[in-house]
Amino acid sequence: MTVFRKLSLLFVISAIFSGCSSDHIKPGCFQEDNRKLLSTIRNIEGTISLQCLESFVIIPNEKVDNNPVGSFFPCNINDDFRVEGIQVVFSGYIYESLDTEDICADFFEIIEIRLME
């Protein structure tokens, strides 16, 4: 293999791996509403609760910046976590709400969730 081919192959491989950062935001929920992503939160402790017209929300143990309402309405909560009162550690995306909406929790997309130890 020529030096040029080796360098070309090395460039292609490094370009592929540099584009695979785990910090890259790939929101999946609320895209049909064109909601703006306000922030990303990581490793927040909280409690699952059945509220908001019989929907499950996550109530963080501490106030989170860019969380105006104080609790999160996750669009993608797994059935395993739909249990009143369980303690979790979670990460995800907070989305904007519109001034015309009457909401009981902030729009939220889970990117990671686990039971608190």
Side-chain angles (χ1 to χ4, degrees):
M1 189 180 277
T2 68
V3 172
F4 177 73
R5 283 188 143 180
K6 288 180 183 178
L7 288 174
S8 297
L9 183 59
L10 181 61
F11 174 76
V12 169
I13 290 171
S14 64
I16 289 170
F17 285 108
S18 67
C20 294
S21 169
S22 62
D23 292 335
H24 184 67
I25 296 174
K26 295 180 183 177
C29 296
F30 307 114
Q31 295 308 294
E32 66 279 356
D33 299 335
N34 292 322
R35 294 189 186 277
K36 185 173 23 169
L37 186 64
L38 296 179
S39 66
T40 301
I41 59 171
R42 299 194 188 283
N43 299 316
I44 304 296
E45 295 180 353
T47 304
I48 304 291
S49 181
L50 185 60
Q51 298 180 359
C52 295
L53 302 174
E54 300 299 311
S55 296
F56 285 95
V57 298
I58 305 173
I59 302 169
N61 291 352
E62 296 181 20
K63 176 75 174 124
V64 175
D65 292 338
N66 277 331
N67 177 227
V69 177
S71 58
F72 297 108
F73 173 68
C75 61
N76 59 340
I77 190 166
N78 185 302
D79 287 342
D80 294 339
F81 291 95
R82 292 177 186 259
V83 179
E84 174 71 32
I86 63 171
Q87 300 286 308
V88 294
V89 177
F90 63 100
S91 301
Y93 306 132
I94 302 172
Y95 291 89
E96 72 177 341
S97 60
L98 307 176
D99 292 336
T100 57
E101 295 175 310
D102 183 19
I103 60 171
C104 60
D106 291 309
F107 295 105
F108 187 71
E109 178 178 0
I110 297 169
I111 55 176
E112 181 182 6
I113 189 168
R114 66 184 187 279
L115 291 176
M116 193 181 316
E117 296 176 0

